[in-house]
Amino acid sequence: MALIATSVLGQDHGGREAEVREALAEAYGTDTNAWQPGALASGARAAREVARDLAAQSPVGG
């Protein structure tokens, strides 16, 4: 598992998540559709909080 953290400036609007996923897919050269939606956070969250939440969802050793 990997944690990808990014910041997006501007107003949130319908379709914003799709725009961000498209930009990240291009930047990282991968399909972002399989990325866990729970990993996408709106508002200010520290990366360590997101990592903690993802670790709690992941089976040990997996």
Side-chain angles (χ1 to χ4, degrees):
M1 175 180 359
L3 173 63
I4 304 297
T6 191
S7 297
V8 178
L9 301 177
Q11 296 287 327
D12 192 16
H13 58 78
R16 182 67 168 207
E17 180 180 330
E19 292 172 359
V20 171
R21 283 180 181 268
E22 183 179 338
L24 291 173
E26 184 176 338
Y28 290 104
T30 190
D31 179 13
T32 58
N33 290 316
W35 290 8
Q36 296 177 8
L40 300 174
S42 61
R45 283 187 74 192
R48 69 178 178 279
E49 292 176 35
V50 176
R52 180 196 62 217
D53 293 348
L54 289 174
Q57 296 172 11
S58 179
V60 175

